[in-house]
Amino acid sequence: MIAATGVDESSLRYRGWRVVLACFLMAFFMFGFGLYGQGVYLAELQRAHGWPGTLVSAASTFSFLLTAVLVIFTDDLLARIGLRSLILCGLTALGASTVLLAVMQTPWQLYLAYALMSVGWTGMGTVVIATVLNAWFERRRGLALSLAFNGATCGGIILVPLLLSLTGSIGFRSAMLVATIAMVLLVLPVVVIFIDWPAKVSQASGDRPSGAGTAKPPHSRRALLANAAFWTMVLPIAIALLAQMGFIIHQVTFLEPLIGRYAAGLAVTIMAAMAVVGRLSLGLFVDRLDPRLACAASMTSQAAALFVLLQSESPTVLLICCAVYGFSIGNMITFPPLIIQREIGSTAFAAAMGLGTSISGVVSAFGPGIVGLVRSFTGNYTTAFAMCVMLDVVAAGIVLWRPGKRVEVSRDLSPERDRRVG
């Protein structure tokens, strides 16, 4: 990989850090518009068109599930159209989605906008970002991933309040159009100038080519599904994200009766800020850690924070628990690429990231609903959040299971795929 070229990854002149900047901006707008901004759309579309909340919420669910399907094929798209073209397609789709959200008049346009947003996730989401950074970095891979994925959290902290502020002053339609123009002006140049594979790296999966001028074919998802190392990474991450999504969505509802609306909002802000701190802190030394041990420690810390939160009514203690919980939130999407690179290998990196992200996305999407359902049955959040504590502990135990040596996942290529790639 990169170490063989003798480059100094710690030097600021190394081109990989400019790739990190591009990935940071991609994550900033993709998560800002595609995840955190959906709460703004829900409120504004209801207000503008009188549509029921269930209609807009169903469109969000549709988008997340469609995204989970599309990201499975990221490695195929990288092989067929190339890295930069895939990202530009994602940028175009996301821009079209946000413009359509601003000017739409009918419900079918809402679903089209959210479908386009799913295409945006495929071109600019975590799988593409992790794949390109995996190709550019080896010794500083963890730091590069942490810095790039901090764009996701910053998108929630900066872009959403900016959208709300602009909506209050110039209206929702103009706010979305202005933000979309800003996205294109910021992201398009850095993608065109900085984004590319390193020299002598294939376009299929960020690995070295198998022959002169040819890219290795995409790798069999069937073989990945039979790989125990893959499942002991994907399953615990999916379980932890299910618990995490459940807590985040219900956090304010749980805290508001205990500490008031203002303090509950402050808890959310503290948690988001600590997610940035956690990513930066871990990124400084994660490349020297065992990613499975670090992942298990993060899951355990979230379980401990939730457990203490359930035992206390002190505002100070509750805020501290939210801070501790937030410290590990962002790292749940940083660990999978590190584990995949070490245990499955770079030749199947894009395929493993796409399939793993899809599985985790589908499972975690049920988190808010399950927590809400348990809360409805029991009348309080104690049992629901205790369930989240247990899920985190179980996930931490599974991720520590090491099923053996690396499995070569490229042997199970079907004749049909060989013909298609050839």
Side-chain angles (χ1 to χ4, degrees):
M1 287 295 294
I2 302 304
T5 66
V7 299
D8 181 8
E9 293 180 11
S10 62
S11 172
L12 292 178
R13 289 179 292 182
Y14 177 50
R15 187 182 173 189
W17 295 113
R18 293 188 281 277
V19 177
V20 170
L21 171 62
C23 290
F24 176 93
L25 290 173
M26 287 160 53
F28 178 91
F29 285 103
M30 190 65 253
F31 280 80
F33 280 128
L35 179 62
Y36 300 109
Q38 295 209 20
V40 179
Y41 313 150
L42 175 63
E44 293 302 324
L45 292 175
Q46 283 184 274
R47 183 179 298 112
H49 303 288
W51 293 340
T54 52
L55 175 68
V56 185
S57 298
S60 295
T61 302
F62 161 75
S63 177
F64 289 140
L65 292 177
L66 180 59
T67 300
V69 173
L70 293 179
V71 295
I72 296 176
F73 304 101
T74 302
D75 59 321
D76 301 87
L77 292 170
L78 286 171
R80 287 182 178 274
I81 68 175
L83 173 65
R84 187 178 293 152
S85 296
L86 178 59
I87 294 175
L88 291 177
C89 286
L91 177 62
T92 302
L94 180 60
S97 172
T98 53
V99 169
L100 189 54
L101 284 169
V103 302
M104 68 174 55
Q105 297 296 326
T106 59
W108 72 265
Q109 293 174 324
L110 172 66
Y111 280 81
L112 176 59
Y114 275 81
L116 288 169
M117 193 174 292
S118 296
V119 178
W121 276 111
T122 307
M124 292 174 55
T126 56
V127 178
V128 168
I129 291 173
T131 300
V132 68
L133 293 181
N134 175 69
W136 276 98
F137 290 90
E138 182 173 0
R139 292 182 298 274
R140 307 297 289 169
R141 183 178 291 122
L143 177 59
L145 288 167
S146 296
L147 291 173
F149 284 141
N150 258 331
T153 306
C154 291
I157 295 175
I158 299 173
L159 184 58
V160 172
L162 181 61
L163 280 177
L164 290 171
S165 176
L166 287 173
T167 297
S169 57
I170 62 177
F172 177 68
R173 173 179 295 187
S174 298
M176 291 295 290
L177 294 177
V178 168
T180 301
I181 292 171
M183 175 182 69
V184 173
L185 292 177
L186 288 171
V187 177
L188 182 59
V190 297
V191 169
V192 172
I193 297 172
F194 297 146
I195 289 289
D196 202 353
W197 296 120
K200 298 181 181 179
V201 171
S202 81
Q203 296 183 8
S205 60
D207 189 38
R208 293 191 178 280
S210 55
T214 61
K216 286 185 179 181
H219 300 274
S220 171
R221 285 175 278 272
R222 181 187 304 172
L224 282 168
L225 293 173
N227 186 347
F230 174 78
W231 280 110
T232 58
M233 180 276 296
V234 170
L235 187 59
I237 291 292
I239 293 172
L241 286 176
L242 183 148
Q244 186 170 285
M245 289 291 288
F247 173 70
I248 290 173
I249 298 301
H250 291 271
Q251 179 185 12
V252 173
T253 307
F254 170 76
L255 290 175
E256 188 174 348
L258 297 175
I259 58 178
R261 175 169 299 196
Y262 172 78
L266 178 63
V268 175
T269 302
I270 291 173
M271 188 174 69
M274 286 300 293
V276 176
V277 174
R279 272 210 190 98
L280 290 175
S281 301
L282 184 70
L284 294 176
F285 54 86
V286 69
D287 294 297
R288 299 190 293 272
L289 298 176
D290 181 330
R292 284 187 179 267
L293 285 175
C295 186
S298 293
M299 294 169 177
T300 303
S301 72
Q302 289 191 329
L306 271 183
F307 179 79
V308 175
L309 181 139
L310 288 172
Q311 312 305 312
S312 177
E313 294 185 359
S314 166
T316 302
V317 172
L318 294 174
L319 291 176
I320 291 174
C321 288
C322 290
V324 173
Y325 193 92
F327 189 82
S328 296
I329 282 179
N331 294 325
M332 287 301 119
I333 62 173
T334 302
F335 290 123
L338 297 177
I339 297 173
I340 288 172
Q341 172 59 33
R342 290 196 184 192
E343 300 185 11
I344 296 178
S346 59
T347 59
F349 186 88
M353 274 297 300
L355 189 57
T357 301
S358 174
I359 294 170
S360 298
V362 171
V363 173
S364 62
F366 290 96
I370 292 175
V371 169
L373 191 62
V374 174
R375 193 257 183 191
S376 297
F377 282 146
T378 60
N380 58 64
Y381 278 109
T382 302
T383 303
F385 287 166
M387 176 193 67
C388 292
V389 171
M390 293 179 62
L391 288 173
D392 278 325
V393 172
V394 170
I398 296 174
V399 81
L400 289 175
W401 178 33
R402 303 170 191 273
K405 297 181 179 179
R406 179 190 301 182
V407 178
E408 176 58 56
V409 299
S410 61
R411 296 175 182 170
D412 191 31
L413 294 173
S414 67
E416 179 183 351
R417 288 176 63 84
D418 285 337
R419 287 195 302 271
R420 185 150 46 90
V421 174

